[in-house]
C-alpha cells in the first residue's frame, strides 16, 4: 500500500482529521507513520517543540494510581509530625480525624466539574513545612483523585509514551507566577524584581473584557521573555490561543508585549488570537478554532520551531472545567499532528500543568536552604527566597512527553520543573535563558533524559481511547451532587506492575554517625553523580525541620543535630532524595545506644549495593541485615571490626531496600532504600503498586 500523497494529507488535515479521534486514523496513515525518522540520532533531529500547559492538577490527583510511577504505592512515604504517613491528612490542625486519598467517582458525583480549591501562595514556612498544610488551608476534597477509568486517554498516552513522575511546578502557589517561569525562566526574583507581588496583581491590572486593550495604568513586567530571545535568534515561534485565553498567555503580562502594533511580529506571534475566534464566540467555542489554526500550519509547512498552546478557559481543566474536556482537546491537537507523518516524526509534544490547584500530592517539594537554619547548599540560592521563605519548587504536576523518541510507556524520574522546558529549548536551539536561577539549574534537569534520540519510533500507538463523547458525558454529570470522602476509608491501591524506566544521572551517598563526645548526630552527604541533587531531611522527634541540602556535582556536605541537648540523646532522621532514594536512622547516642556505623554506596558497574558495617564498640555485637528479595543475614562483628557486604540486585533491577537492626538494642534502626544507577535504562521500583 502506498503512503498518502501530500495533497491527500492536506485534505485530511483540512477536513475531518482535525476533529477525528486518534483511534480513527486511516490504515494508510498508520503505515505512513511507521516509516523511520531520518536524522543524526541526537536532539538536533527535533525540529518542532510544542508546549501545551493546562491548569491546576497535581500528579497524585491524576496519576497516583498509574502502574510503575511514584504514586500511592510509594513504599517510603513522608511521616507527618503525628508519626502517621503523609496519606493520613488531618482534618484540623493536630487532630486525630484524618482524610486519606479517595476516588472522585464521576458516576455518583460532579467530580469532573468540581470547584477550584485554595491554591494561593504557600505563605510562611510554618504552614507547609511538614506537608500537613492541608489542615490549615485545604478541604477534604484536596485528597480526591481520579483513576484510569476516569482519564482513559491520558493514561493511554502514559502507557504509549513517557511520563515524568518527578516534574514539579516551579512555585508552591498560583497560576500566574508559575507560568512566568515557563515563559521567562523566573517569577522575577532571580532578576531583582518583586515578581511574586507583581504576578498577583496581574488579574486586577489587566482589562479582561477586551484582549486588544492593555490597561495603561499597569505597564507590565520588565524582564525579558524567552519568546523575545527566540525572536532575536531567528528561531520561529508562535502562541496559539483563542479569544478567551483565561489569562494563561503570560506574555501578555510583559511590557514588551503590551500596546503593540497588530502588524508587529511580537503581536502576531505572541498576542493575536487564532482566526475565527472573537468575543462573540469566546464562551461557546469547543476549541475548534485553536485546532484548525494549529492543523493548518502543520498542513502548510508553517508549524514554527517552538509553539505554546493556550487552551480556552472551559477546556483548560481548571476546576470547574472538566478533565474530559481537556483530554478531548489534547486528542484533537495530537490528531492534527499525527495526520502529517513528516512533521510528527520530527516533533516533541509536551503536556504539563502549571500548578496543583489545591489537590494533594504526597511528595514534599525540594526547597533551597535560603538560611543556615534550613540546611546547606553548595550552590548559590539567590533569587529563591521571598521574605525569608524558600520559593521553589512547587507541588508535583503531570508531565507527558509525546514524541517518536519517547515511545514505549516509559517513566522518567529525574527532577524537573517548568524551567526544564526552557532548558530543553536551550539544548535544542542554542538560545540561553539567563533568568533561571543557579539553584534551579543545579537541581533540575533539561528533559533530555526522558528521550532516546538514537531509537526513534514514529509509529503511532495502535489504539487510543476515543474522547469525542467523554466531555459531553462529563458535562451531564455536573448535575450530580458534589463529591465527598467516603465515611469509611481504606488504603488506595496503585496498579500492579512496573514500567520501563529511563537511566538517570544520580549517584549519591548519605551516611550517619554519632559523636558522643559532643552529643551530636552527623549526616554526611556525597554527590558522585552527573547531576546536582536536592535532599530533604525530616526528624521524627523534632518540629524545627525539615532541612534541605543541595549538592552540586562532586560536592560533599556535613551537618549535625545536637541530640544530647535537645532530644535526650535520641536521634530519628529520614532522608529523601531523587527516584526513591531513602535513608532512615533511628537510635540513641552511645554509650546508651549501639555504636554501629553503617555506610552504603553504589557499585554502579555491577548494579549492586555495598554495605559497610563498623562496630565501634569495645565488645562484639550481633546485627541482622535484611534485604528485600534476599535471605536475612545475621552477622557477629568483633570489637572494632569493619565488614563489607555486597548485595546482588540483578533480580530486582538494581532496586534495594535494606533494614539493619542490633540484637542487643531495640532502639537501633537503619533503613537504606533506593536504586543503583548503572547508566542504562531499567525498570521502575518493584515495590510500587502496594496499597498506601
Amino acid at each position: 500500500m502506498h503512503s498518502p500523497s501530500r495533497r491527500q494529507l492536506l485534505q485530511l488535515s483540512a477536513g475531518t482529521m482535525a476533529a477525528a479521534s486518534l483511534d480513527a486514523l486511516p490504515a494508510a496513515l498508520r503505515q505512513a507513520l511507521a516509516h523511520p525518522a531520518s536524522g543524526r540520532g541526537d536532539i538536533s533531529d527535533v525540529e518542532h517543540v510544542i508546549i501545551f500547559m493546562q491548569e491546576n492538577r497535581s500528579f497524585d490527583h491524576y496519576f497516583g494510581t498509574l502502574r510503575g510511577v511514584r504514586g500511592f504505592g510509594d513504599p517510603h512515604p513522608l511521616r507527618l509530625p503525628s508519626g502517621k504517613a503523609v496519606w493520613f491528612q488531618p482534618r484540623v490542625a493536630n487532630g486525630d480525624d484524618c482524610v486519606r486519598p479517595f476516588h472522585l467517582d464521576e458516576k455518583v458525583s460532579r467530580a469532573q466539574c468540581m470547584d477550584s480549591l485554595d491554591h494561593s501562595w504557600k505563605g510562611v514556612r510554618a504552614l507547609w513545612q511538614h506537608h500537613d498544610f492541608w489542615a490549615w488551608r485545604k478541604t477534604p476534597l484536596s485528597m480526591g483523585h481520579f483513576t484510569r477509568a476516569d482519564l482513559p486517554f491520558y493514561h493511554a498516552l502514559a502507557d504509549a509514551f513517557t511520563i515524568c513522575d518527578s516534574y514539579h511546578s516551579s512555585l508552591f502557589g498560583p497560576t500566574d507566577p508559575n507560568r512566568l517561569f515557563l515563559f521567562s525562566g523566573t517569577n522575577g526574583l532571580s532578576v531583582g524584581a518583586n515578581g511574586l507581588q507583581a504576578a498577583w496583581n496581574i488579574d486586577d491590572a489587566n482589562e479582561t473584557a477586551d484582549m486588544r486593550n492593555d490597561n495603561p495604568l499597569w505597564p507590565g513586567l520588565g524582564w525579558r521573555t524567552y519568546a523575545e530571545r527566540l525572536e532575536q535568534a531567528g528561531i520561529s515561534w508562535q502562541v496559539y490561543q483563542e479569544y478567551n485565553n483565561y489569562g494563561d498567555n503570560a506574555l501578555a503580562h510583559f511590557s514588551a508585549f503590551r500596546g503593540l502594533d497588530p502588524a508587529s511580529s511580537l503581536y502576531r506571534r505572541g498576542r493575536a488570537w487564532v482566526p475565527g475566534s472573537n468575543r462573540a464566540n469566546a464562551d461557546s467555542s469547543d476549541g475548534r478554532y485553536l485546532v484548525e489554526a494549529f492543523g493548518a500550519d502543520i498542513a502548510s509547512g508553517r508549524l514554527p520551531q517552538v509553539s505554546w498552546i493556550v487552551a480556552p478557559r472551559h477546556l483548560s481543566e481548571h476546576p470547574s472545567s472538566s478533565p474530559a474536556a481537556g483530554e478531548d482537546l489534547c486528542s484533537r491537537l495530537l490528531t492534527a499532528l499525527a495526520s502529517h507523518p513528516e512533521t510528527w516524526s520530527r516533533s516533541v509534544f509536551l503536556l504539563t500543568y502549571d500548578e496543583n490547584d489545591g489537590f494533594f500530592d504526597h511528595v514534599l517539594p525540594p526547597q533551597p536552604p535560603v538560611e543556615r537554619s534550613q540546611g546547606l547548599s553548595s550552590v548559590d540560592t539567590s533569587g529563591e527566597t521571598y521574605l525569608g521563605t524558600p520559593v521553589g519548587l512547587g507541588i508535583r504536576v503531570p508531565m507527558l512527553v509525546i514524541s517518536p523518541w519517547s515511545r514505549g510507556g516509559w517513566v522518567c524520574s529525574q527532577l524537573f520543573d517548568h524551567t526544564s522546558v526552557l532548558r530543553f529549548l536551550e539544548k535544542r536551539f542554542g538560545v540561553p535563558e539567563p533568568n533561571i536561577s543557579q539553584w534551579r539549574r543545579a537541581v533540575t534537569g533539561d528533559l533530555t533524559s526522558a528521550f532516546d534520540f538514537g531509537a526513534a519510533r514514529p509509529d503511532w500507538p495502535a489504539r487510543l481511547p476515543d474522547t469525542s463523547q467523554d466531555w459531553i458525558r462529563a458535562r451531564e454529570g455536573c448535575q450530580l451532587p458534589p463529591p465527598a470522602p467516603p465515611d469509611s476509608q481504606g488504603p488506595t491501591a496503585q496498579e500492579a506492575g512496573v514500567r520501563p524506566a529511563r537511566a538517570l544521572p544520580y549517584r549519591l551517598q548519605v551516611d550517619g554517625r554519632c559523636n558522643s563526645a559532643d552529643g551530636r548526630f552527623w549526616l554526611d552527604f556525597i554527590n558522585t553523580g552527573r547531576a546536582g541533587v536536592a535532599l530533604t531531611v525530616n526528624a521524627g522527634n523534632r518540629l524545627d525541620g525539615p532541612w534541605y541540602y543541595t549538592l552540586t556535582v562532586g560536592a560533599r556536605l556535613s551537618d549535625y543535630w545536637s541530640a544530647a541537648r535537645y532530644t535526650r540523646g535520641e536521634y530519628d532522621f529520614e532522608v529523601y532524595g531523587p527516584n526513591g532514594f531513602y535513608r532512615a536512622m533511628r537510635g540513641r547516642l552511645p554509650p546508651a545506644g549501639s555504636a554501629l556505623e553503617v555506610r552504603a554506596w553504589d557499585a554502579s558497574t555491577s548494579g549492586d549495593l555495598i554495605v559497610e558495617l563498623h562496630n565501634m564498640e569495645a565488645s562484639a555485637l550481633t546485627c541482622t541485615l535484611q534485604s528485600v528479595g534476599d535471605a536475612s543475614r545475621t552477622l557477629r562483628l568483633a570489637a572494632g571490626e569493619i565488614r563489607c557486604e555486597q548485595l546482588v540486585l540483578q533480580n530486582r533491577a538494581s532496586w534495594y531496600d535494606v533494614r539493619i537492626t542490633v540484637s542487643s538494642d531495640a532502639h537501633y534502626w537503619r533503613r537504606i532504600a533506593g536504586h543503583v544507577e548503572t547508566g542504562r535504562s531499567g525498570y521502575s521500583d518493584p515495590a510500587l503498586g502496594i496499597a498506601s
Side-chain angles (χ1 to χ4, degrees), residues 572-621:
D572 184 357
F573 295 101
E574 292 176 293
V575 184
Y576 295 88
N579 197 27
F581 182 92
Y582 176 76
R583 301 290 187 267
M585 305 165 195
R586 194 161 65 237
R588 298 177 296 186
L589 296 175
S594 298
L596 175 66
E597 287 194 356
V598 177
R599 298 173 64 235
W601 61 88
D602 299 348
S604 57
T605 302
S606 64
D608 296 337
L609 183 74
I610 308 298
V611 179
E612 179 189 272
L613 306 164
H614 183 187
N615 179 13
M616 302 184 68
E617 295 190 6
S619 59
L621 62 75

Side-chain angles (χ1 to χ4, degrees), residues 334-501:
L334 286 173
T335 296
L337 181 61
S339 298
H340 296 271
E342 298 90 346
T343 303
W344 155 249
S345 67
R346 303 188 300 271
S347 297
V348 168
F349 189 103
L350 302 175
L351 168 64
T352 189
Y353 294 75
D354 50 21
E355 42 113 338
N356 67 300
D357 200 85
F359 294 114
F360 172 79
D361 187 83
H362 78 280
V363 175
L364 186 65
Q367 302 286 303
V370 298
E371 298 176 359
R372 176 63 184 92
S373 62
Q374 296 172 8
L376 294 168
S377 175
S378 65
V379 66
D380 186 7
T381 61
S382 298
E384 290 292 342
T385 180
Y386 180 69
L387 301 179
T389 296
V391 172
L393 300 176
I395 300 294
R396 277 194 314 170
V397 293
M399 163 61 93
L400 290 170
V401 178
I402 303 163
S403 83
W405 305 279
S406 58
R407 285 273 280 119
W410 294 82
V411 59
C412 181
S413 299
Q414 187 171 2
L415 181 65
F416 301 123
D417 84 320
H418 298 327
T419 65
S420 298
V421 176
L422 298 187
R423 303 258 317 271
F424 183 78
L425 297 178
E426 283 183 338
K427 191 82 170 179
R428 170 56 187 92
F429 299 112
V431 179
E433 179 46 83
N435 292 343
I436 301 173
S437 72
Q438 293 184 46
W439 179 81
R440 234 166 255 267
R441 282 193 179 275
V443 302
T444 61
D446 60 13
L447 289 180
T448 55
S449 59
F451 299 85
D452 184 352
F453 293 110
R457 288 184 55 190
D459 56 305
W460 194 257
R463 186 175 180 84
L464 289 173
D466 182 359
T467 62
S468 59
Q469 299 300 311
D470 290 349
W471 68 275
I472 298 175
R473 187 191 70 248
R475 186 171 58 188
E476 292 173 349
C478 294
Q479 308 305 316
L480 295 171
D487 294 333
S488 177
Q489 285 193 266
T492 300
Q494 186 172 344
E495 295 173 346
V498 299
R499 65 179 56 230

Side-chain angles (χ1 to χ4, degrees), residues 148 189 195 287 320 363 403 431 501 505 589 659 670 672:
R148 179 181 294 273
L189 296 175
S320 58
V363 175
S403 83
V431 179
L589 296 175
R659 297 165 176 82
R670 298 289 187 271
I672 303 166

Side-chain angles (χ1 to χ4, degrees), residues 165-439:
D165 67 352
S166 191
Y167 185 102
H168 288 251
S169 56
S170 289
L171 171 145
F172 201 153
T175 286
D176 288 322
N178 270 294
R179 286 185 178 254
L180 294 181
F181 277 102
L182 178 75
F183 281 88
S184 72
T186 180
N187 63 333
L189 296 175
S190 68
V191 292
N194 190 359
L196 286 164
Q197 190 63 43
W200 288 322
N201 287 333
I202 283 171
D203 288 337
D204 293 333
N206 277 317
E207 290 183 349
T208 58
D210 191 339
M211 289 174 52
R212 292 170 294 183
N213 297 327
D214 295 321
N215 189 337
L217 298 179
W218 191 73
L221 303 173
W223 65 91
R224 206 169 192 200
T225 66
Y226 196 70
E228 294 170 83
R229 302 188 196 282
L230 293 175
E231 182 87 0
Q232 184 178 25
I235 304 298
S236 60
W237 63 277
Q238 181 69 49
V239 174
Y240 292 91
Q241 62 180 349
E242 291 195 3
Y243 189 92
N244 185 353
N245 68 3
Y246 206 10
D248 282 347
N249 175 10
L251 295 181
H253 308 324
F254 288 86
S255 58
F257 286 88
R258 298 172 67 80
L260 294 173
D261 181 344
S264 67
S265 177
L266 290 186
Y267 185 89
R268 288 185 289 103
R269 294 178 185 270
R271 293 299 306 276
W273 48 92
V274 297
S277 177
N278 53 54
R279 180 191 295 184
N281 60 31
D283 294 328
S284 60
S285 170
D286 60 359
R288 71 183 63 183
Y289 306 113
L290 188 72
V291 176
E292 286 173 358
F294 180 64
D297 280 355
I298 296 171
S300 63
R302 297 194 309 267
L303 183 69
Q305 291 163 284
V306 178
S307 303
W308 286 274
I309 298 178
V310 180
R313 175 172 185 160
H314 49 285
L315 303 179
S316 70
E317 299 177 52
H318 185 299
S320 58
S321 171
S322 74
E327 284 188 303
D328 184 61
L329 176 59
C330 184
S331 173
R332 286 181 283 150
L333 290 167
L334 286 173
T335 296
L337 181 61
S339 298
H340 296 271
E342 298 90 346
T343 303
W344 155 249
S345 67
R346 303 188 300 271
S347 297
V348 168
F349 189 103
L350 302 175
L351 168 64
T352 189
Y353 294 75
D354 50 21
E355 42 113 338
N356 67 300
D357 200 85
F359 294 114
F360 172 79
D361 187 83
H362 78 280
V363 175
L364 186 65
Q367 302 286 303
V370 298
E371 298 176 359
R372 176 63 184 92
S373 62
Q374 296 172 8
L376 294 168
S377 175
S378 65
V379 66
D380 186 7
T381 61
S382 298
E384 290 292 342
T385 180
Y386 180 69
L387 301 179
T389 296
V391 172
L393 300 176
I395 300 294
R396 277 194 314 170
V397 293
M399 163 61 93
L400 290 170
V401 178
I402 303 163
S403 83
W405 305 279
S406 58
R407 285 273 280 119
W410 294 82
V411 59
C412 181
S413 299
Q414 187 171 2
L415 181 65
F416 301 123
D417 84 320
H418 298 327
T419 65
S420 298
V421 176
L422 298 187
R423 303 258 317 271
F424 183 78
L425 297 178
E426 283 183 338
K427 191 82 170 179
R428 170 56 187 92
F429 299 112
V431 179
E433 179 46 83
N435 292 343
I436 301 173
S437 72
Q438 293 184 46
W439 179 81

Side-chain angles (χ1 to χ4, degrees), residues 595-597 613-623 634-645:
L596 175 66
E597 287 194 356
L613 306 164
H614 183 187
N615 179 13
M616 302 184 68
E617 295 190 6
S619 59
L621 62 75
T622 300
C623 65
T634 300
L635 308 171
R636 182 172 177 80
L637 302 179
E641 182 181 355
I642 299 176
R643 186 180 304 182
C644 286
E645 296 286 315

